[in-house]
């Protein structure tokens, strides 16, 4: 049997399905992955150097500007066929959950309801000092034209600087979020891992955790990212093509 057919058959037999997604699922919506070069004014910047508390302390206006740019990019992006096919499967009555590393909201905008954001989201900033989260006015998210920097707004409670509610390198994943993810991953029969390189830990351990608890793991990626386990299947292709094809083969949806 072909890898795609075996993957479709295991999905069909599953009671609980978890989609574990990474930057690759949003790449075809126009949001660059970690491995893509940044564009425009940001082309000379390394995102990994900007996504740390140290970078924010040293240059808050630049780091805040970087996230305003990313927020704008995510806002302009639309959910693609891969995000939409996950929602379609859930809407067909299957038990489907999403655990994502992405900070965009494309799963929610595709209509998915059960979504755990391991690395936070761009939605609502929080205070760098006291962690209080705050709603901002739309004009506070604007980045002046031809500019990379904007001074972050201040917290109304303690006057600390606001930062994005995302997990930066060197920060610990909140215990509650990890537990919520583990409850889903530990209880699934099939984990479909889409568009993730498996480099950023502890999220990168999730396919292995699913395998250890007896699930089948289906990887959907442009390249082979399998770990060599027995209950692993590798579907190579673009998320927007491979995922709808997989669900069509398994469920005719
Ligand atoms: P990554 O950038 O390390 O890897 C992306 C993976 O997706 C690669 O394995 C690549 O081969 C694959 N890929 C690229 N295009 C694809 C496509 N069209 N179809 C299928 N696969 C495709 O991303 P990661 O593993 O998610 O980890 C990096 C970290 O970057 C995460 O913590 C995440 O929070 C953050 N990030 C998020 C976003 C977002 O929210 N959209 C974007 C960039 C980075």
């Amino acid at each position: 049997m072909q890898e795609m057919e075996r993957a479709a058959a295991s999905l069909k037999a599953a009671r609980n399905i978890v989609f574990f997604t990474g930057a690759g699922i949003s790449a075809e919506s126009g949001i660059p992955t970690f491995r893509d070069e940044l564009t425009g004014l940001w082309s000379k910047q390394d995102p990994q150097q900007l996504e740390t508390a140290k970078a924010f302390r040293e240059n808050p206006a630049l780091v805040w500007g970087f996230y305003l740019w990313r927020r704008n990019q995510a806002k302009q992006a639309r959910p693609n066929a891969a995000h939409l096919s996950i929602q379609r499967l859930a809407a067909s009555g299957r038990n489907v959950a999403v655990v994502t590393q992405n900070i965009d909201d494309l799963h929610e905008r595709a209509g998915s309801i059960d979504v755990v954001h391991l690395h936070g989201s761009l939605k609502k900033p929080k205070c760098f000092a006291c962690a209080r989260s705050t709603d901002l006015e739309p004009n506070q998210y604007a980045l002046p034209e031809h500019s990379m920097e904007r001074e972050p707004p201040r917290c109304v409670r303690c006057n600390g600087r606001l930062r994005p509610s995302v997990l930066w390198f060197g920060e610990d994943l909140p215990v509650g979020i990890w537990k919520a993810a583990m409850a889903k991953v530990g209880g699934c029969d099939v984990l479909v891992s889409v568009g993730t390189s498996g480099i950023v830990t502890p999220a990168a351990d999730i396919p292995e955790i699913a395998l250890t608890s007896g699930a089948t793991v289906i990887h959907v990626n442009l390249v082979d990212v399998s770990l060599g386990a027995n209950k692993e299947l590798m579907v190579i292709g673009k998320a927007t093509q491979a995922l709808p094809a997989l669900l069509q083969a398994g469920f005719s949806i």
Side-chain angles (χ1 to χ4, degrees):
M1 226 194 301
Q2 294 287 320
E3 208 79 343
M4 174 70 94
E5 286 168 34
R6 288 170 59 201
S10 66
L11 268 179
K12 207 171 170 180
R15 273 171 301 127
N16 296 312
I17 302 167
V18 169
F19 288 87
F20 170 54
T21 64
I25 196 170
S26 295
E28 293 169 79
S29 290
I31 302 178
T33 72
F34 251 171
R35 320 293 142 194
D36 297 324
E37 296 281 313
L38 296 180
T39 52
L41 291 176
W42 295 93
S43 59
K44 294 208 164 50
Q45 297 286 332
D46 175 359
Q48 303 196 32
Q49 299 300 317
L50 295 167
E51 299 182 9
T52 67
K54 181 173 176 280
F56 187 73
R57 266 189 219 100
E58 286 172 2
N59 195 343
L62 181 70
V63 174
W64 182 250
F66 177 60
Y67 280 95
L68 290 180
W69 177 71
R70 290 185 68 179
R71 192 177 188 280
N72 213 22
Q73 200 171 48
K75 214 173 151 210
Q76 282 167 12
R78 286 172 175 225
N80 63 43
H83 301 103
L84 292 167
S85 63
I86 296 174
Q87 184 278 333
R88 264 205 316 282
L89 184 62
S92 74
R94 262 82 183 187
N95 221 347
V96 171
V98 178
V99 175
T100 187
Q101 297 166 84
N102 294 345
I103 58 174
D104 65 52
D105 60 354
L106 294 180
H107 283 297
E108 286 88 343
R109 283 168 52 204
S112 287
I113 295 163
D114 193 357
V115 184
V116 175
H117 279 271
L118 285 173
H119 295 164
S121 93
L122 291 166
K123 224 166 39 186
K124 216 172 176 181
K126 65 181 181 186
C127 176
F128 190 54
C130 74
R132 181 184 200 270
S133 65
T134 305
D135 279 314
L136 294 179
E137 296 299 326
N139 65 4
Q140 290 179 288
Y141 289 113
L143 192 56
E145 215 175 331
H146 306 304
S147 172
M148 295 166 76
E149 297 187 6
R150 182 169 179 181
E151 204 39 55
R154 295 283 178 161
C155 172
V156 290
R157 182 163 67 189
C158 76
N159 202 37
R161 289 191 171 92
L162 296 187
R163 57 161 282 180
S165 294
V166 300
L167 195 74
W168 280 334
F169 289 105
E171 293 183 325
D172 290 331
L173 232 145
V175 176
I177 297 287
W178 184 247
K179 273 191 176 163
M182 284 305 99
K184 295 183 188 308
V185 171
C188 74
D189 311 295
V190 174
L191 181 109
V192 190
S193 177
V194 190
T196 176
S197 58
I199 290 171
V200 179
T201 56
D205 298 332
I206 283 183
E208 209 169 338
I209 293 169
L211 286 166
T212 306
S213 48
T216 297
V217 171
I218 302 168
H219 299 277
V220 177
N221 203 304
L222 298 176
V223 294
D224 189 343
V225 290
S226 57
L227 307 163
N230 276 342
K231 290 183 81 174
E232 243 184 335
L233 296 160
M234 184 68 236
V235 175
I236 294 190
K238 288 182 173 182
T240 56
Q241 291 167 8
L243 212 49
L246 186 59
L247 301 187
Q248 174 65 30
F251 307 102
S252 304
I253 56 168

